[in-house]
Amino acid sequence: MRTIAALFIAGVAGLTATAEPITMRKAMQEFRDRGAGQLEGVLLHGVPVIKGTIEEQAFTASMFQCDVPDYACRVVIARSCIDMMSTNAGEALELANTYNLQREPRGYALVSGANAGSASLCVQSRYDLGGENLFNMSETFEWRETVTEFSEFIEKARRSAAARSLLSN
């Protein structure tokens, strides 16, 4: 009879043995299976990039540490950005910091494309593949939830800003 520790070690070894990098085609299928749409894959300067929408929000997933010729990759970085019209870079940075300081934020927020009158606020998640970590249902579901929570956070911030603006007039 095998002990629980022996079964656990055998299970971990089995997971490690099955972990492998993911190709763009398989990653696109995982996103599609979790409700992503309008998916397309491109190579940008040798980097596989998936573009699509999830929960009606555009996103990209860039893949790194890839083996040629099949581009099986060990890192996937997913990013979704929302244009923050009439929000300057300082206000966008404050929002990003507020998001990142939440008790358990999904992904992390950053400011992108800031110019004089507006900025984009993005949420980003990194998935390192190997060992027990596979890019499968749990990662793509987590990404969908990250985009949903981030969109809700931004919408709440917009409503609060509108309310403050009304009260100050």
Side-chain angles (χ1 to χ4, degrees):
M1 183 186 289
R2 297 172 85 180
T3 66
I4 292 175
L7 289 172
F8 175 76
I9 291 169
V12 170
L15 286 173
T16 302
T18 62
E20 61 185 44
I22 190 163
T23 62
M24 183 173 10
R25 182 186 316 247
K26 288 181 183 177
M28 288 176 70
Q29 187 60 51
E30 287 294 339
F31 281 121
R32 190 175 289 112
D33 290 348
R34 297 317 140 230
Q38 301 176 4
L39 291 170
E40 64 180 69
V42 297
L43 274 178
L44 294 175
H45 306 289
V47 175
V49 177
I50 299 169
K51 296 179 179 186
T53 60
I54 198 157
E55 299 296 322
E56 299 180 18
Q57 178 64 38
F59 77 93
T60 60
S62 301
M63 303 172 73
F64 300 97
Q65 296 181 14
C66 305
D67 295 328
V68 180
D70 60 351
Y71 287 97
C73 305
R74 290 175 194 79
V75 175
V76 178
I77 299 176
R79 178 186 279 193
S80 180
C81 297
I82 298 174
D83 288 330
M84 301 294 293
M85 298 299 177
S86 71
T87 300
N88 65 39
E91 293 167 330
L93 183 58
E94 188 176 322
L95 274 173
N97 287 337
T98 300
Y99 182 84
N100 292 333
L101 291 173
Q102 293 179 102
R103 185 174 187 103
E104 292 183 35
R106 289 185 182 267
Y108 64 91
L110 53 105
V111 177
S112 176
N115 60 39
S118 67
S120 292
L121 202 58
C122 304
V123 67
Q124 182 169 299
S125 291
R126 176 184 171 120
Y127 303 98
D128 292 294
L129 311 177
E132 296 177 29
N133 297 330
L134 299 171
F135 192 80
N136 59 18
M137 178 180 69
S138 62
E139 282 73 19
T140 52
F141 180 78
E142 177 186 311
W143 176 242
R144 190 180 91 207
E145 292 300 304
T146 298
V147 170
T148 299
E149 285 184 16
F150 185 70
S151 296
E152 290 170 356
F153 173 83
I154 295 299
E155 187 56 37
K156 183 178 175 184
R158 285 179 173 160
R159 285 192 308 267
S160 294
R164 281 192 307 275
S165 177
L166 285 173
L167 291 174
S168 68
N169 289 336

